[in-house]
Amino acid sequence: MVKAKSTKTLVIEYNPSQCLDWLAVQTPRNKLAHSWVLQNMENWVERFLLAHNYPRVRTSAAYLLVSLIPSNSFRQMFRSTRSLHLPTRELPLSPDTTVVLHQVYNLLLGLLGRAKLYVDASVHGTTKLVQYFSFMTYCLISKTEKLMFSGYFMDLWNLFQPKLSEPAIATNHNKQALLSFWYNMCVDCPENVRLVVQNPVVTKNIAFNYILADHDDQEVVLFNRGMLPAYYGILRMCCEQSPAFTHQLASHQNIQWAFKNLTPHASQYPGAVEELFNLMQLFVAQRADMREEELEDVKQFKKTTISCYLRCLDGRSCWTTLISAFRVLLENDEDRLLVVFNRGLILMTESFNTLHMMYHEATACHVTGDLVELLSIFLSVLKATRPYLQRKDVKQALIQWQERIDFAHKLLTLLNSYSPPELRNACLDVLKELVLLSPHDFLHTLVPFLQHNHCTYHHSNIPMSFGPYLPCRENIKLMGAKNNIRPPRPELNMCLLPSMVESSKGKDEVYDRMLLDYFLSYHQFSHLLCRVAINCEKFTETLVKLSVLIAYEGLPLHLAIFPKLWTELCQSQSALAKTCVKLLCEDPAFSEYIKCILMDERTFLNNNVAYSFLTCFLHKVQVLSGPSCSNLISVLVTNLLSEQSSLQPELIAHRLELSKTSGLLNADLRALVLLLSVSPPQAVDPALGPALQELLARCRVCVQQRSALELEAKEHKAKAEEEGATPVKRRRVKPEQQEALTSDTETRDSSSLIDPGTEQDPPSPSPEPGPPTASSSGNNMDSSPKEEKMEASSSSSSSSFSSSSSSLLQEAGEEPERHNDEEEEGRRGKGQSEEVQEEKEAGSKTSLAPLLPEDSAAAFPSSLGLVGEGPEGCIGPAPSSSSSSSSSPQAFPGASSPPDMLDMLYRTVEATIAIVTKLSVKGLPTS
């Protein structure tokens, strides 16, 4: 045996690589060989793993060490070329295997002190320790091995600094391997991190590390790609554990150097840049226990870093860095104004232009996320600017941003069915802010562009290109998979032609929701243009035409944005409002809009805002010729005679069906009342009066039965509470509250149109009793519905509008709570409730009062009230000043919910009976 050992020693002197490889094969098979190699590690490990000049020998020595571990999985996973930055995953090892591993690992840790003998690059080169640290990193299979390192920390530090950290060597692979080992030693091991942050010598010098940033030398780039993530990862873990170290490192010159020279090259150093931005996030974080000087240092760090980026970044190529940095650094208005003052808007515009161009290239659809993030930063900066528009430095900075008009036009060209919703909404949000910042510029340029675009699609045969995000019933399930389809070219295409609508409102709730989600923000943007134009007294004929055209397109959505605006203008006494109304009534598209409501979209009249709008404008515009109007009246009467029997008391048990039936009847009746008021026929169908009386009786029976059921449910609930049962969920609006609300709003709504063009109260027939309810003895129910109508019609339009504006402003921010009470859902009518609720939720985002610049609010006509905007706007004409307080929004938390359709139908039948009776009494009144 002695002779054999000496023979092996002699062979290993002359052919070490082959000998080590042979031993690596034998040790797993031969216990004697395994024992001999393991017991003699002190004689050969340093010599062949650290000191030998040939990399092939050092690699063979590493494989021999791996072969000593009695675990097949451990041996098979080892690769000398494996990524040094990735931590070794935990391997389940047996106790005997772990003992051998720790024996080998302890020996290697003990060599850390001698490793510095081999780091002189002029003598030993820069790779002698790579295999050594690679194998030690591989040994870190659990926290146990990481904790075994604590006694050798200073050996590692003395090896790194200054021997490896300071020499100006471009690619020192020994340093790379050491940092990878150190990084993995600290991951999920705060004890090893504390070894750094609790040592003042280490914290003082660890930021000094020579780094060559030669972005054109591929060898240097590859080296930094492997070394820098480990280095900055160590610094990041130290900052996470020590606020003092974070504060110290944030002000270090080498960190600013890294931000300036490395983060603009995220594609070359993705791991390092990610760690640097993690560090930046820690540098700007503010803690509750920070002293004043520490907060000031954070503020100074942000100011220095923002200024550095604005000076050094090329917006055309470094948009990724710009987005990542600004997302971290821009925390308040002061930070964002610093961007504005240092030409940051120009820099971001350059980035946007590059992304916009790439977005329309075949292989560049992946920039969608970058576009959305950049626009989000744009929006925050612009919003921060608006409160300071009176400052000269802010005005000057905006004037210098000469690309703003072109920027806005590019935003418009992203509004099409090829852009995902998050991109379209981001563009619209920024466009809204631009209009509010510089209304004169953007009204002058955007309005003609938009109007021409819509007219082109309506009046030409140019085929429209439909992208994957256009709402389509057949492709609802496929839309999510189509997001890789690129647009053929930049184009604005938010036109909704009648041929594109696949289902009328209310027939397919999913499709209705998709249409609303797709078009609502764009309609709100066009509405904002109108509001701002009124504020600036720039409401041109072109804008009127645009407003009407977009409203006509939006009729299938049943949006009340347009009716609400023009009702306010119609009721205003300002010269500007009168001029605008005159221009509106002269536009042929406006007649088509009203005609479309009466002919095709009558259920839109269930929206009180739309109904009030027609009471204001129907008599101002020639919509239907005499024969056409008579024909439509006949159709409506025929519908009533054939459909009124569909309202049966049995429907009380089917609340959704009851609401739907009531809604259809109510819409037809409202259209009939409008037409009878404006263009009364030569003679009224004699069957109409009895049919209306019968329908009124049916309504009364349905209301009585519903009230009885509600009373029974209330008694059952009280009894259950007394017995200790789980109480039924409380309803948001009680029956008596809903009744009072409906009585006050709907009656006024109906009475206001009985005799358009006159201010005198119409003669009323014998009073019909109001709908009987369980709360009919309440204070508000003492007066008859006809008395309420008289009260409403006697109030002037201006006071009524002022009250409406006040209540709308209060209701704009209210959001009715959603609940799953099936009985309550049925009572409200699911379709109507969801429709109005969705529109109110979306519309509340465009409340004009907080959006307009402070200096421009005074120019807004006072009669318009600057009320909150929304697709629903309000639930009906507001009560007059003499109304009972019980019907105000303050008294009813649920007052912003839609009126009950059965109650609404009851009031509409009453109003229809009133006007039919009037026509019968007067014979042929003059309208």
Side-chain angles (χ1 to χ4, degrees):
M1 176 60 72
V2 176
K3 184 177 181 181
K5 291 181 181 179
S6 61
T7 302
K8 291 178 182 178
T9 304
L10 183 62
V11 171
I12 206 169
E13 292 287 346
Y14 293 97
N15 209 343
S17 179
Q18 286 82 347
C19 186
L20 292 170
D21 289 342
W22 181 82
L23 287 172
V25 174
Q26 296 302 316
T27 49
R29 303 174 181 176
N30 190 311
K31 292 184 178 181
L32 189 61
H34 181 277
S35 177
W36 182 84
V37 173
L38 186 63
Q39 293 173 3
N40 286 275
M41 285 191 299
E42 294 183 357
N43 297 326
W44 63 270
V45 170
E46 179 182 348
R47 179 179 180 186
F48 295 110
L49 184 64
L50 280 73
H52 207 282
N53 291 326
Y54 293 104
R56 178 76 179 83
V57 174
R58 297 196 297 269
T59 300
S60 296
Y63 272 106
L64 179 55
L65 286 174
V66 172
S67 69
L68 290 174
I69 312 302
S71 169
N72 288 331
S73 58
F74 186 90
R75 290 193 294 265
Q76 291 170 2
M77 288 180 59
F78 179 78
R79 296 290 184 272
S80 60
T81 57
R82 61 189 295 276
S83 173
L84 298 178
H85 183 55
L86 297 177
T88 306
R89 71 176 190 181
E90 292 195 8
L91 293 173
L93 301 180
S94 67
D96 293 340
T97 303
T98 305
V99 170
V100 177
L101 175 65
H102 288 177
Q103 184 178 350
V104 175
Y105 179 58
N106 266 320
L107 174 75
L108 297 179
L109 288 175
L111 292 175
L112 276 171
R114 294 187 55 78
K116 61 183 178 182
L117 300 175
Y118 309 106
V119 296
D120 188 340
S122 60
V123 178
H124 299 281
T126 61
T127 63
K128 276 199 169 181
L129 302 181
V130 171
Q131 290 81 1
Y132 169 64
F133 281 112
S134 176
F135 180 74
M136 282 213 297
T137 303
Y138 186 64
C139 289
L140 301 176
I141 63 172
S142 69
K143 190 173 181 179
T144 302
E145 289 75 29
K146 296 177 182 181
L147 293 175
M148 292 168 63
F149 164 76
S150 59
Y152 302 92
F153 171 70
M154 288 309 297
D155 290 337
L156 180 74
W157 171 251
N158 292 329
L159 177 60
F160 174 72
Q161 211 278 336
K163 295 291 185 179
L164 291 178
S165 63
E166 293 184 2
I169 302 173
T171 57
N172 192 333
H173 295 281
N174 287 333
K175 179 168 65 174
Q176 181 185 36
L178 181 148
L179 288 171
S180 178
F181 170 70
W182 193 358
Y183 170 84
N184 287 296
M185 188 72 68
C186 292
V187 171
D188 298 327
C189 189
E191 294 85 353
N192 285 342
V193 178
R194 279 197 291 271
L195 296 174
V196 178
V197 298
Q198 293 178 356
N199 190 314
V201 175
V202 177
T203 55
K204 181 180 179 181
N205 295 283
I206 193 172
F208 292 101
N209 180 24
Y210 178 81
I211 300 169
L212 176 63
D214 187 346
H215 312 299
D216 298 322
D217 188 327
Q218 191 61 24
E219 182 182 357
V220 174
V221 170
L222 290 174
F223 171 77
N224 285 335
R225 191 178 297 172
M227 184 266 290
L228 295 178
Y231 176 61
Y232 291 120
I234 295 169
L235 297 181
R236 186 253 308 160
M237 286 185 280
C238 293
C239 289
E240 289 173 343
Q241 191 166 125
S242 172
F245 180 79
T246 304
H247 179 257
Q248 175 184 329
L249 187 64
S251 60
H252 201 283
Q253 59 184 5
N254 285 358
I255 290 297
Q256 284 295 328
W257 177 92
F259 289 147
K260 178 180 178 180
N261 293 281
L262 296 177
T263 57
H265 305 275
S267 60
Q268 291 180 305
Y269 318 108
V273 171
E274 180 183 358
E275 289 290 5
L276 283 169
F277 281 124
N278 289 338
L279 280 171
M280 185 186 293
Q281 187 76 58
L282 294 170
F283 293 156
V284 302
Q286 297 185 13
R287 305 183 314 279
D289 59 343
M290 272 186 164
R291 302 188 305 274
E292 187 65 31
E293 55 269 26
E294 290 177 317
L295 292 172
E296 188 62 33
D297 288 342
V298 170
K299 182 178 176 181
Q300 185 59 41
F301 168 78
K302 289 196 294 183
K303 182 176 180 180
T304 301
T305 311
I306 291 172
S307 301
C308 171
Y309 277 126
L310 293 175
R311 288 193 307 269
C312 75
L313 286 184
D314 181 356
R316 293 166 296 182
S317 60
C318 297
W319 68 85
T320 304
T321 302
L322 186 74
I323 292 169
S324 299
F326 283 3
R327 190 168 52 208
V328 174
L329 296 171
L330 304 186
E331 296 183 318
N332 52 50
D333 285 358
E334 184 178 356
D335 303 330
R336 299 178 183 107
L337 286 176
L338 184 61
V339 172
V340 175
F341 296 149
N342 288 275
R343 303 179 74 251
L345 291 173
I346 299 173
L347 184 68
M348 290 193 292
T349 304
E350 291 175 353
S351 295
F352 174 80
N353 290 339
T354 300
L355 291 171
H356 184 270
M357 177 188 67
M358 294 177 65
Y359 179 77
H360 295 93
E361 293 179 357
T363 60
C365 289
H366 63 279
V367 302
T368 303
D370 291 334
L371 271 171
V372 173
E373 288 201 66
L374 180 61
L375 291 175
S376 175
I377 295 171
F378 243 123
L379 181 65
S380 69
V381 172
L382 295 176
K383 280 187 174 180
T385 305
R386 187 149 47 89
Y388 306 98
L389 285 176
Q390 298 306 311
R391 286 174 47 173
K392 292 183 178 180
D393 50 357
V394 174
K395 287 183 179 179
Q396 187 62 32
L398 292 175
I399 291 173
Q400 291 176 354
W401 185 30
Q402 299 178 357
E403 301 85 356
R404 61 188 182 277
I405 301 297
D406 181 64
F407 172 60
H409 278 277
K410 280 188 168 68
L411 287 173
L412 288 175
T413 63
L414 289 171
L415 302 181
N416 53 60
S417 54
Y418 290 91
S419 299
E422 60 270 18
L423 178 58
R424 290 196 311 273
N425 291 332
C427 291
L428 285 166
D429 288 342
V430 175
L431 282 166
K432 291 173 186 176
E433 200 62 38
L434 289 172
V435 170
L436 292 171
L437 273 177
S438 185
H440 296 278
D441 288 345
F442 290 103
L443 287 172
H444 178 71
T445 57
L446 297 188
V447 170
F449 179 80
L450 291 166
Q451 199 264 344
H452 174 74
N453 178 271
H454 282 267
C455 284
T456 300
Y457 284 116
H458 279 274
H459 301 138
S460 68
N461 294 323
I462 298 176
M464 296 179 65
S465 60
F466 298 139
Y469 294 98
L470 184 73
C472 179
R473 296 175 72 192
E474 295 181 359
N475 296 329
I476 288 175
K477 296 181 180 179
L478 302 177
M479 286 180 64
K482 293 185 176 181
N483 56 7
N484 60 340
I485 300 178
R486 71 181 182 90
R489 61 187 178 277
E491 68 171 1
L492 167 62
N493 185 354
M494 292 297 289
C495 187
L496 180 61
L497 300 177
S499 59
M500 296 165 56
V501 181
E502 300 183 6
S503 175
S504 58
K505 179 79 171 180
K507 292 186 177 180
D508 186 335
E509 293 183 5
V510 175
Y511 180 70
D512 291 346
R513 177 78 254 181
M514 290 171 60
L515 275 180
L516 188 66
D517 289 344
Y518 185 89
F519 286 103
L520 178 60
S521 292
Y522 181 71
H523 283 253
Q524 290 173 333
F525 169 64
S526 67
H527 176 66
L528 179 65
L529 290 174
C530 296
R531 287 285 182 179
V532 172
I534 295 171
N535 192 50
C536 299
E537 298 186 355
K538 295 284 186 181
F539 210 125
T540 62
E541 183 178 0
T542 304
L543 182 53
V544 172
K545 291 181 178 296
L546 174 65
S547 176
V548 177
L549 201 53
I550 292 180
Y552 174 77
E553 295 174 13
L555 265 177
L557 308 174
H558 288 192
L559 296 180
I561 299 177
F562 177 84
K564 183 179 185 301
L565 169 69
W566 287 98
T567 302
E568 292 176 12
L569 285 170
C570 183
Q571 294 173 337
S572 171
Q573 301 302 315
S574 71
L576 173 65
K578 292 179 179 179
T579 302
C580 293
V581 170
K582 182 175 181 294
L583 290 172
L584 177 72
C585 294
E586 293 173 352
D587 191 340
F590 183 53
S591 298
E592 288 298 317
Y593 173 79
I594 296 179
K595 182 178 179 181
C596 186
I597 293 177
L598 295 174
M599 300 289 289
D600 304 320
E601 301 289 348
R602 282 196 292 274
T603 55
F604 188 25
L605 295 174
N606 289 328
N607 185 312
N608 291 325
V609 179
Y611 188 38
S612 300
F613 165 78
L614 286 189
T615 66
C616 294
F617 281 97
L618 188 58
H619 67 282
K620 296 179 182 290
V621 184
Q622 181 62 41
V623 178
L624 297 170
S625 63
S628 298
C629 186
S630 298
N631 289 338
L632 182 54
I633 290 175
S634 298
V635 170
L636 293 172
V637 172
T638 302
N639 286 349
L640 174 65
L641 294 177
S642 62
E643 297 295 334
Q644 59 96 8
S645 60
S646 61
L647 186 68
Q648 297 290 340
E650 292 79 9
L651 290 178
I652 293 297
H654 306 280
R655 301 293 177 92
L656 296 180
E657 189 64 29
L658 174 66
S659 179
K660 182 178 179 180
T661 302
S662 301
L664 293 174
L665 287 168
N666 185 73
D668 281 354
L669 281 174
R670 282 190 162 185
L672 179 62
V673 169
L674 287 168
L675 293 173
L676 291 177
S677 302
V678 175
S679 182
Q682 295 291 335
V684 179
D685 191 324
L688 180 59
L692 289 171
Q693 293 292 344
E694 183 180 351
L695 180 59
L696 185 67
R698 291 176 184 273
C699 289
R700 186 179 297 114
V701 171
C702 290
V703 170
Q704 288 174 338
Q705 291 196 11
R706 185 183 64 187
S707 299
L709 288 175
E710 290 175 349
L711 184 60
E712 181 181 348
K714 185 176 180 181
E715 293 174 352
H716 178 73
K717 174 187 173 183
K719 183 178 179 181
E721 289 178 347
E722 289 176 1
E723 295 175 355
T726 303
V728 181
K729 183 179 289 185
R730 185 184 301 275
R731 286 180 183 157
R732 181 169 43 81
V733 181
K734 296 181 180 179
E736 60 268 28
Q737 294 173 336
Q738 181 66 51
E739 179 62 33
L741 174 65
T742 308
S743 172
D744 202 33
T745 58
E746 272 302 302
T747 305
R748 286 174 175 76
D749 195 23
S750 302
S751 64
S752 64
L753 53 91
I754 289 180
D755 193 2
T758 66
E759 296 184 358
Q760 298 178 354
D761 298 328
S764 58
S766 58
E768 292 286 342
T773 68
S775 60
S776 60
S777 62
N779 295 335
N780 282 341
M781 304 305 294
D782 293 337
S783 59
S784 70
K786 296 300 175 288
E787 291 172 339
E788 292 181 8
K789 292 182 205 173
M790 297 291 287
E791 175 189 327
S793 60
S794 64
S795 61
S796 67
S797 62
S798 60
S799 64
S800 174
F801 175 75
S802 176
S803 175
S804 175
S805 299
S806 176
S807 64
L808 289 174
L809 184 60
Q810 293 161 349
E811 293 173 11
E814 293 185 12
E815 180 179 353
E817 62 174 326
R818 296 178 181 267
H819 54 79
N820 297 321
D821 190 332
E822 182 179 353
E823 185 177 2
E824 183 72 0
E825 279 283 313
R827 186 176 187 276
R828 299 282 175 223
K830 183 178 180 182
Q832 179 74 5
S833 176
E834 290 185 354
E835 167 197 333
V836 180
Q837 172 68 13
E838 290 165 359
E839 294 180 1
K840 285 185 73 63
E841 287 176 350
S844 64
K845 300 176 183 176
T846 60
S847 178
L848 190 64
L851 287 179
L852 288 175
E854 295 175 1
D855 59 318
S856 60
F860 210 101
S862 60
S863 61
L864 296 186
L866 281 177
V867 297
E869 306 309 324
E872 169 62 16
C874 65
I875 62 170
S880 65
S881 58
S882 60
S883 305
S884 171
S885 62
S886 64
S887 60
S888 66
Q890 295 91 333
F892 294 99
S896 58
S897 63
D900 181 86
M901 288 308 303
L902 179 60
D903 289 343
M904 183 186 289
L905 174 62
Y906 194 103
R907 302 302 178 187
T908 304
V909 174
E910 286 184 321
T912 311
I913 291 174
I915 194 168
V916 169
T917 303
K918 174 183 175 182
L919 292 175
S920 301
V921 171
K922 288 188 175 182
L924 192 62
T926 301
S927 176

